[in-house]
Amino acid sequence: MSSAGMLRVMTEGASQPGSLRDRKRRRAEDAIRKAALELFSERGFDQVSVTEIAERAEVGRTTFFRYFGDKQEVLFPEPDRESADAVAGVGAPAAAIGSSLSAALRSVRALVTAFIAHITSDPVEYELHQRLVRQHPELYARSLLKQRRYADLLTAQLRRWGADAAIARQAAELGLACFYAAQADSGDDPRTFPHALARAFDRLEAQSSALRPG
Protein backbone atom coordinates (compact mmCIF):
# COMPACT_ATOMS: atom_id res chain seq x y z
CA MET A 1 0.00 0.00 0.00
CA SER A 2 4.70 5.58 -0.97
CA SER A 3 7.80 5.00 -1.97
CA ALA A 4 10.10 7.48 -1.24
CA GLY A 5 14.36 13.90 0.40
CA MET A 6 13.78 11.46 -2.71
CA LEU A 7 11.53 13.76 -4.72
CA ARG A 8 11.23 13.56 -8.49
CA VAL A 9 13.76 15.68 -10.35
CA MET A 10 11.66 17.39 -12.97
CA THR A 11 13.07 18.45 -16.29
CA GLU A 12 12.68 22.08 -15.34
CA GLY A 13 14.78 21.57 -12.22
CA ALA A 14 14.32 20.02 -8.82
CA SER A 15 11.84 21.71 -6.50
CA GLN A 16 12.40 21.98 -2.78
CA PRO A 17 9.98 20.05 -0.53
CA GLY A 18 7.24 22.41 0.57
CA SER A 19 8.03 24.99 -2.12
CA LEU A 20 5.26 26.60 -4.17
CA ARG A 21 6.32 24.61 -7.23
CA ASP A 22 6.21 21.36 -5.29
CA ARG A 23 2.77 22.11 -3.84
CA LYS A 24 1.39 23.00 -7.29
CA ARG A 25 2.83 19.83 -8.76
CA ARG A 26 1.28 17.71 -6.05
CA ARG A 27 -2.11 19.35 -6.47
CA ALA A 28 -2.00 18.70 -10.22
CA GLU A 29 -0.93 15.08 -9.73
CA ASP A 30 -3.65 14.50 -7.12
CA ALA A 31 -6.31 15.98 -9.41
CA ILE A 32 -5.18 13.78 -12.31
CA ARG A 33 -5.11 10.65 -10.16
CA LYS A 34 -8.56 11.36 -8.74
CA ALA A 35 -9.99 11.96 -12.21
CA ALA A 36 -8.38 8.81 -13.58
CA LEU A 37 -9.69 6.61 -10.76
CA GLU A 38 -13.19 8.01 -11.18
CA LEU A 39 -13.15 7.27 -14.90
CA PHE A 40 -11.60 3.82 -14.49
CA SER A 41 -14.30 3.01 -11.94
CA GLU A 42 -17.08 4.28 -14.21
CA ARG A 43 -15.99 2.73 -17.52
CA GLY A 44 -13.04 0.43 -17.01
CA PHE A 45 -9.32 0.97 -17.52
CA ASP A 46 -9.21 0.06 -21.22
CA GLN A 47 -12.08 2.38 -22.15
CA VAL A 48 -10.51 5.57 -20.80
CA SER A 49 -8.06 7.76 -22.73
CA VAL A 50 -5.45 10.22 -21.52
CA THR A 51 -7.45 13.02 -23.14
CA GLU A 52 -10.51 12.09 -21.11
CA ILE A 53 -8.50 11.97 -17.88
CA ALA A 54 -7.03 15.40 -18.58
CA GLU A 55 -10.46 16.83 -19.35
CA ARG A 56 -11.95 15.42 -16.14
CA ALA A 57 -9.02 16.82 -14.15
CA GLU A 58 -9.37 20.17 -15.95
CA VAL A 59 -5.79 20.17 -17.17
CA GLY A 60 -4.28 19.96 -20.64
CA ARG A 61 -2.67 16.88 -22.16
CA THR A 62 0.68 18.66 -21.87
CA THR A 63 0.20 18.96 -18.13
CA PHE A 64 -0.75 15.28 -17.89
CA PHE A 65 2.43 14.20 -19.68
CA ARG A 66 4.53 16.56 -17.59
CA TYR A 67 3.77 14.37 -14.57
CA PHE A 68 2.87 10.95 -16.01
CA GLY A 69 4.30 8.99 -18.90
CA ASP A 70 1.04 7.16 -19.63
CA LYS A 71 -2.27 6.26 -18.00
CA GLN A 72 -0.75 3.21 -16.31
CA GLU A 73 1.64 5.45 -14.43
CA VAL A 74 -1.28 7.31 -12.85
CA LEU A 75 -1.92 4.20 -10.77
CA PHE A 76 1.67 3.92 -9.58
CA PRO A 77 3.11 6.90 -7.70
CA GLU A 78 6.89 7.05 -7.59
CA PRO A 79 8.00 4.51 -4.99
CA ASP A 80 10.72 6.82 -3.68
CA ARG A 81 8.39 9.70 -2.91
CA GLU A 82 5.48 7.54 -1.82
CA SER A 83 7.68 5.69 0.66
CA ALA A 84 9.16 8.91 1.97
CA ASP A 85 5.68 10.33 2.55
CA ALA A 86 4.50 7.13 4.23
CA VAL A 87 7.36 6.66 6.70
CA ALA A 88 8.17 10.28 7.47
CA GLY A 89 7.15 9.82 11.10
CA VAL A 90 9.14 6.64 11.73
CA GLY A 91 12.11 7.42 13.94
CA ALA A 92 15.56 5.91 13.69
CA PRO A 93 16.47 3.18 16.19
CA ALA A 94 18.27 4.26 19.33
CA ALA A 95 21.45 2.46 18.28
CA ALA A 96 22.96 1.43 14.97
CA ILE A 97 21.46 -1.85 13.73
CA GLY A 98 24.78 -3.43 12.81
CA SER A 99 24.60 -7.22 12.39
CA SER A 100 21.46 -7.70 14.47
CA LEU A 101 18.70 -9.23 12.36
CA SER A 102 16.18 -8.82 15.17
CA ALA A 103 16.96 -5.07 15.39
CA ALA A 104 16.66 -4.76 11.62
CA LEU A 105 13.30 -6.56 11.68
CA ARG A 106 11.98 -4.22 14.36
CA SER A 107 12.80 -1.26 12.15
CA VAL A 108 11.34 -2.97 9.07
CA ARG A 109 8.15 -3.70 10.98
CA ALA A 110 7.76 -0.02 11.85
CA LEU A 111 8.43 1.04 8.26
CA VAL A 112 6.08 -1.47 6.61
CA THR A 113 3.35 -0.77 9.18
CA ALA A 114 3.54 2.96 8.43
CA PHE A 115 3.48 2.26 4.70
CA ILE A 116 0.35 0.11 4.90
CA ALA A 117 -1.40 2.74 7.02
CA HIS A 118 -0.55 5.25 4.30
CA ILE A 119 -1.74 3.25 1.29
CA THR A 120 -4.97 2.13 2.98
CA SER A 121 -5.86 5.53 4.43
CA ASP A 122 -8.55 5.79 1.73
CA PRO A 123 -10.03 2.26 1.69
CA VAL A 124 -12.25 2.87 -1.34
CA GLU A 125 -9.36 4.15 -3.44
CA TYR A 126 -7.14 1.29 -2.31
CA GLU A 127 -9.75 -1.32 -3.25
CA LEU A 128 -10.28 0.23 -6.67
CA HIS A 129 -6.55 0.34 -7.32
CA GLN A 130 -6.06 -3.29 -6.32
CA ARG A 131 -9.05 -4.43 -8.37
CA LEU A 132 -7.66 -2.74 -11.47
CA VAL A 133 -4.24 -4.29 -10.89
CA ARG A 134 -5.72 -7.78 -10.54
CA GLN A 135 -7.84 -7.40 -13.68
CA HIS A 136 -5.06 -6.27 -16.02
CA PRO A 137 -1.87 -8.33 -16.46
CA GLU A 138 0.12 -5.31 -17.64
CA LEU A 139 -0.78 -3.42 -14.46
CA TYR A 140 0.05 -6.44 -12.32
CA ALA A 141 3.48 -6.69 -13.97
CA ARG A 142 4.10 -3.02 -13.30
CA SER A 143 3.03 -3.49 -9.69
CA LEU A 144 5.60 -6.27 -9.24
CA LEU A 145 8.36 -4.03 -10.56
CA LYS A 146 7.30 -1.32 -8.15
CA GLN A 147 7.38 -3.76 -5.25
CA ARG A 148 10.97 -4.67 -6.04
CA ARG A 149 11.81 -0.99 -5.79
CA TYR A 150 10.34 -1.00 -2.28
CA ALA A 151 12.76 -3.77 -1.32
CA ASP A 152 15.62 -1.57 -2.47
CA LEU A 153 14.26 1.40 -0.53
CA LEU A 154 13.85 -0.62 2.67
CA THR A 155 17.38 -1.93 2.30
CA ALA A 156 18.76 1.56 1.76
CA GLN A 157 16.94 2.91 4.82
CA LEU A 158 18.29 0.14 7.03
CA ARG A 159 21.78 0.81 5.72
CA ARG A 160 21.37 4.46 6.67
CA TRP A 161 20.46 3.26 10.14
CA GLY A 162 23.71 1.33 10.38
CA ALA A 163 22.67 -2.16 9.30
CA ASP A 164 25.23 -4.41 7.67
CA ALA A 165 24.54 -4.88 3.95
CA ALA A 166 23.50 -8.55 4.16
CA ILE A 167 21.32 -7.96 7.23
CA ALA A 168 19.64 -4.96 5.60
CA ARG A 169 18.72 -6.92 2.48
CA GLN A 170 17.53 -9.99 4.40
CA ALA A 171 15.36 -7.93 6.73
CA ALA A 172 13.89 -5.97 3.82
CA GLU A 173 12.95 -9.17 1.98
CA LEU A 174 11.43 -10.67 5.14
CA GLY A 175 9.45 -7.47 5.64
CA LEU A 176 8.06 -7.71 2.12
CA ALA A 177 7.23 -11.37 2.73
CA CYS A 178 5.14 -10.28 5.73
CA PHE A 179 3.48 -7.68 3.51
CA TYR A 180 2.50 -10.32 0.93
CA ALA A 181 1.35 -12.76 3.61
CA ALA A 182 -0.82 -10.07 5.17
CA GLN A 183 -2.36 -9.24 1.81
CA ALA A 184 -3.36 -12.87 1.35
CA ASP A 185 -4.47 -13.36 4.97
CA SER A 186 -6.70 -10.27 4.84
CA GLY A 187 -8.07 -10.97 1.38
CA ASP A 188 -6.49 -7.61 0.51
CA ASP A 189 -9.16 -5.89 2.62
CA PRO A 190 -7.74 -2.48 3.62
CA ARG A 191 -9.70 -2.60 6.88
CA THR A 192 -8.05 -5.79 8.12
CA PHE A 193 -4.73 -5.52 6.27
CA PRO A 194 -2.91 -3.76 9.18
CA HIS A 195 -4.02 -6.42 11.68
CA ALA A 196 -2.95 -9.20 9.32
CA LEU A 197 0.44 -7.54 8.99
CA ALA A 198 0.86 -7.45 12.77
CA ARG A 199 0.08 -11.18 12.92
CA ALA A 200 2.59 -11.91 10.15
CA PHE A 201 5.38 -10.08 11.97
CA ASP A 202 4.38 -11.68 15.28
CA ARG A 203 4.73 -15.13 13.72
CA LEU A 204 8.10 -14.22 12.25
CA GLU A 205 9.38 -12.91 15.57
CA ALA A 206 8.09 -15.96 17.45
CA GLN A 207 9.82 -18.34 15.05
CA SER A 208 13.03 -16.31 15.17
CA SER A 209 13.02 -16.46 18.97
CA ALA A 210 12.41 -20.19 18.95
CA LEU A 211 15.42 -20.73 16.70
CA ARG A 212 17.85 -18.80 18.93
CA PRO A 213 20.23 -21.01 20.89
CA GLY A 214 19.88 -21.22 24.62
Side-chain angles (χ1 to χ4, degrees):
M1 301 203 158
S2 241
S3 231
M6 299 191 299
L7 293 175
R8 179 186 301 178
V9 178
M10 306 299 292
T11 54
E12 67 270 23
S15 60
Q16 294 299 315
S19 69
L20 177 60
R21 178 184 295 175
D22 187 60
R23 292 195 300 273
K24 288 177 65 176
R25 174 174 55 79
R26 287 193 174 224
R27 283 196 297 270
E29 288 180 343
D30 288 344
I32 292 168
R33 284 199 182 96
K34 181 175 183 295
L37 284 170
E38 288 175 353
L39 287 166
F40 295 156
S41 178
E42 292 167 10
R43 292 187 300 194
F45 180 79
D46 291 331
Q47 306 306 316
V48 176
S49 69
V50 167
T51 298
E52 290 167 327
I53 295 171
E55 288 175 352
R56 176 70 66 93
E58 299 183 342
V59 300
R61 279 174 57 88
T62 300
T63 298
F64 179 96
F65 286 114
R66 182 178 303 145
Y67 302 121
F68 302 101
D70 54 37
K71 68 177 184 179
Q72 283 190 24
E73 194 174 323
V74 174
L75 293 170
F76 299 102
E78 281 191 50
D80 301 63
R81 196 183 74 203
E82 186 180 35
S83 296
D85 290 345
V87 305
V90 178
I97 293 170
S99 61
S100 172
L101 182 58
S102 60
L105 285 173
R106 284 194 296 272
S107 290
V108 164
R109 180 172 186 159
L111 292 167
V112 176
T113 297
F115 181 73
I116 287 183
H118 175 74
I119 64 174
T120 61
S121 60
D122 186 331
V124 174
E125 182 175 311
Y126 177 82
E127 288 177 318
L128 173 58
H129 177 276
Q130 293 301 95
R131 186 163 62 251
L132 288 166
V133 168
R134 288 192 297 268
Q135 291 172 346
H136 297 274
E138 70 275 20
L139 297 180
Y140 183 69
R142 194 152 181 167
S143 178
L144 292 177
L145 288 173
K146 178 182 175 182
Q147 289 166 7
R148 295 315 307 159
R149 178 60 181 153
Y150 288 134
D152 293 339
L153 291 168
L154 280 171
T155 302
Q157 184 60 66
L158 294 175
R159 292 286 286 148
R160 283 192 289 273
W161 286 344
D164 294 348
I167 291 295
R169 175 54 72 174
Q170 184 174 356
E173 297 293 350
L174 288 169
L176 281 180
C178 287
F179 177 95
Y180 301 140
Q183 268 189 327
D185 186 26
S186 66
D188 214 5
D189 183 339
R191 297 158 190 83
T192 59
F193 196 171
H195 304 293
L197 181 74
R199 290 193 296 270
F201 271 107
D202 286 345
R203 289 193 298 269
L204 179 61
E205 289 173 7
Q207 291 297 318
S208 298
S209 297
L211 292 172
R212 290 190 195 114

